[in-house]
Amino acid sequence: MNENLLFGAALALFVLILLAILLAGVALKSISTLRRQIREIRHDHQRQNTSLLALHGAMKMISEDVISHGQAQSSVRRTLERLADQQNEMRLRDVDDGLYPQAIQLIQEGRGREEVRKLCGLTDSEVDLLFSLHGQGLGFGANLTASTRR
């Protein structure tokens, strides 16, 4: 019986050793799997960092383009304002060089106030001013011809 007990103890020890070896194998397999997963995670992390750096560079370029575009837009706006001012100045010169001298000539020819206003496209105030300055005492609305003037 002693031998049976010894044999049973040896068998139990053998089963425990086999179980320990089996558990050690499972543990090693799990460790191997975890190491592989860690490598994959590190690789993914590196790819994400690279992508983030690329995105950061792209955002920087876009922001520089936006700033550049804003500056160009400002420059165009200033140029347009300057051109509008120049156009207004030229229009005023054209009016000074065209309509007013024509209106003065018509007034000096003895044309009436309404006729001068219509022919030259002037406002009532402009016609009044021109008649008061160049009408030579003819008064507003005078419709005298050049032959009846002195």
Side-chain angles (χ1 to χ4, degrees), residues 94-111:
D94 287 347
V95 169
D96 288 344
D97 293 344
L99 296 179
Y100 291 146
Q102 180 184 356
I104 291 168
Q105 183 179 353
L106 291 173
I107 290 169
Q108 290 173 348
E109 289 175 1
R111 304 285 180 102

Side-chain angles (χ1 to χ4, degrees), residues 7-144:
F7 179 74
L11 187 61
L13 185 59
F14 180 73
V15 170
L16 285 177
I17 290 173
L18 279 178
L19 195 60
I21 291 173
L22 183 65
L23 287 175
V26 170
L28 287 174
K29 177 76 171 150
S30 295
I31 289 172
S32 175
T33 302
L34 288 173
R35 283 183 178 171
R36 184 182 45 79
Q37 288 175 346
I38 288 172
R39 277 193 308 272
E40 289 174 3
I41 289 171
R42 283 183 180 159
H43 184 65
D44 287 347
H45 185 255
Q46 283 180 327
R47 279 197 321 250
Q48 288 176 351
N49 278 341
T50 303
S51 295
L52 282 174
L53 287 173
L55 284 173
H56 179 70
M59 286 175 37
K60 187 174 182 179
M61 286 177 53
I62 288 171
S63 68
E64 289 171 357
D65 285 350
V66 166
I67 290 169
S68 174
H69 179 71
Q71 290 170 345
Q73 197 174 27
S74 249
S75 175
V76 168
R77 187 179 302 119
R78 284 191 303 272
T79 301
L80 286 174
E81 289 171 356
R82 189 178 75 247
L83 287 173
D85 290 344
Q86 289 174 353
Q87 184 181 14
N88 285 337
E89 287 175 20
M90 290 182 75
R91 192 178 317 126
L92 289 175
R93 277 192 222 129
D94 287 347
V95 169
D96 288 344
D97 293 344
L99 296 179
Y100 291 146
Q102 180 184 356
I104 291 168
Q105 183 179 353
L106 291 173
I107 290 169
Q108 290 173 348
E109 289 175 1
R111 304 285 180 102
R113 181 182 179 285
E114 216 29 58
E115 186 178 5
V116 171
R117 187 183 66 73
K118 285 181 183 176
L119 288 174
C120 297
L122 300 175
T123 65
D124 288 335
S125 300
E126 290 172 317
V127 172
D128 291 345
L129 179 62
L130 288 173
F131 264 92
S132 68
L133 293 173
H134 302 283
Q136 300 173 349
L138 295 176
F140 296 119
N143 198 7
L144 300 175

